Amino acid sequence: RASERTNSAHVSPIKRTNMSKKEEYRRYLEQTGVLDALTKVLVGLYEEPDRPKDPMEYIKKYLGAPSNVDVEGLKRENEKLRQELDKELRKQQKGQKKDGS
């Protein structure tokens, strides 16, 4: 039985590191108010008299995220604008090289 206690009490350094990383992350979430906000939104969802059809939308709304936003469309538009900007910057650099020659 003593060997069982020794084995169960022994925690490998790798496992201890993972545990400390998890604890550190939990403290980070707690200190920044994330745990409190998530707890409040889950309690609010639980206390709703009628379950929302889309709980994710409820959570987003509760946390203040804009609704009905086409995230993928915004990503595509952002990428297109970045490409246009890169193209214009390259044109501008070529023009400066010609002027400087």
Side-chain angles (χ1 to χ4, degrees):
R1 299 239 177 214
S3 64
E4 286 178 14
R5 273 185 256 133
T6 304
N7 289 339
S8 64
H10 175 70
V11 177
S12 72
I14 293 171
K15 200 168 197 175
R16 189 173 298 128
T17 300
N18 287 338
M19 289 169 55
S20 64
K21 285 182 180 180
K22 287 179 183 177
E23 180 61 25
E24 180 182 324
Y25 191 68
R26 188 199 61 75
R27 280 195 305 266
Y28 160 74
L29 292 175
E30 188 174 12
Q31 291 170 351
T32 56
V34 172
L35 287 180
D36 189 44
L38 289 175
T39 301
K40 286 179 181 178
V41 72
L42 291 174
V43 167
L45 182 60
Y46 176 77
E47 291 177 345
E48 278 293 313
D50 298 318
R51 289 188 175 176
K53 291 180 183 179
D54 188 352
M56 285 301 293
E57 203 54 44
Y58 174 90
I59 291 170
K60 289 176 187 177
K61 183 178 177 184
Y62 191 97
L63 293 175
S67 59
N68 301 324
V69 174
D70 180 12
V71 175
E72 292 306 314
L74 290 173
K75 286 180 181 180
R76 286 190 301 273
E77 181 182 4
N78 189 22
E79 182 58 30
K80 179 182 171 188
L81 291 171
R82 285 179 188 271
Q83 290 173 359
E84 290 176 13
L85 177 61
D86 287 343
K87 185 178 176 181
E88 292 299 320
L89 289 174
R90 284 193 299 274
K91 282 183 187 178
Q92 185 180 19
Q93 287 174 348
K94 285 180 184 178
Q96 287 177 351
K97 286 181 182 178
K98 288 181 183 177
D99 292 340
S101 305

